Amino acid sequence: MRVIQKKLEFATRGSPQFINITDSLAKALKETGLKQGSMTVFVVGSTAGLTTFEFEPGLEKDIEEFYEKLIPSSKHYHHDETWGDANGYSHLRAALTGPSLVIPFGEGGLLLGTWQQVVLAEFDNRPRKRQVIVQVTGE
């Protein structure tokens, strides 16, 4: 059993933004030469998240509207009083989404559904440089 770690970087424009990182993860897996095991993917930071969904414009818009309805960006949050950066909603959205995923792989490929892509969700109210840590365990 081997463990290989990689770091990927993505520049974002700020909330809301969803980035399909599936191809980047598949490339990182291929570079390891491992054939079966699991990949842990973790975004560094408390205002971004990782999830999976069918990456198409209609669903992107639906998800954007879902977050806005559930955790409005225009509402005042107690966190905003602490730092004055008006991104309390970003932290709540990221906490709800979560910072990591575990994806199984076999025969050297990610075991995702036909329409399932891995998505980096940027929730912060400003552009960021995001680091995504990929840890691959397998043989």
Side-chain angles (χ1 to χ4, degrees):
M1 189 74 62
R2 293 178 52 206
V3 178
I4 300 170
Q5 186 168 297
K6 295 178 171 286
K7 180 172 34 172
L8 306 176
E9 295 187 353
F10 300 91
T12 69
R13 67 173 183 267
S15 181
Q17 185 180 11
F18 302 105
I19 302 170
N20 181 352
I21 65 170
T22 310
D23 289 344
S24 297
L25 297 176
K27 180 181 177 204
L29 175 59
K30 185 176 181 178
E31 290 171 356
T32 69
L34 299 177
K35 298 301 178 196
Q36 63 182 5
S38 62
M39 172 185 280
T40 301
V41 186
F42 177 83
V43 62
V44 178
S46 60
T47 55
L50 289 168
T51 190
T52 65
F53 60 79
E54 181 179 348
F55 195 80
E56 60 86 17
L59 193 53
E60 279 186 85
K61 189 67 176 163
D62 290 336
I63 290 174
E64 180 182 328
E65 290 173 0
F66 166 78
Y67 279 113
E68 190 59 35
K69 186 180 286 187
L70 192 63
I71 306 170
S73 58
S74 59
K75 184 180 178 230
H76 177 78
Y77 296 92
H78 299 290
H79 172 77
D80 300 337
E81 297 168 13
T82 303
W83 302 112
D85 51 8
N87 73 346
Y89 74 95
S90 305
H91 289 276
L92 291 172
R93 291 176 183 185
L96 178 66
T97 305
S100 65
L101 294 171
V102 176
I103 305 163
F105 63 92
E107 298 180 20
L110 298 173
L111 297 176
L112 296 169
T114 302
W115 305 111
Q116 186 179 27
Q117 286 86 43
V118 181
V119 179
L120 169 62
E122 178 60 76
F123 297 119
D124 210 345
N125 60 0
R126 63 186 176 95
R128 301 293 300 254
K129 290 185 181 177
R130 293 294 181 187
Q131 294 181 346
V132 174
I133 307 302
V134 179
Q135 193 173 72
V136 184
T137 304
E139 51 189 23

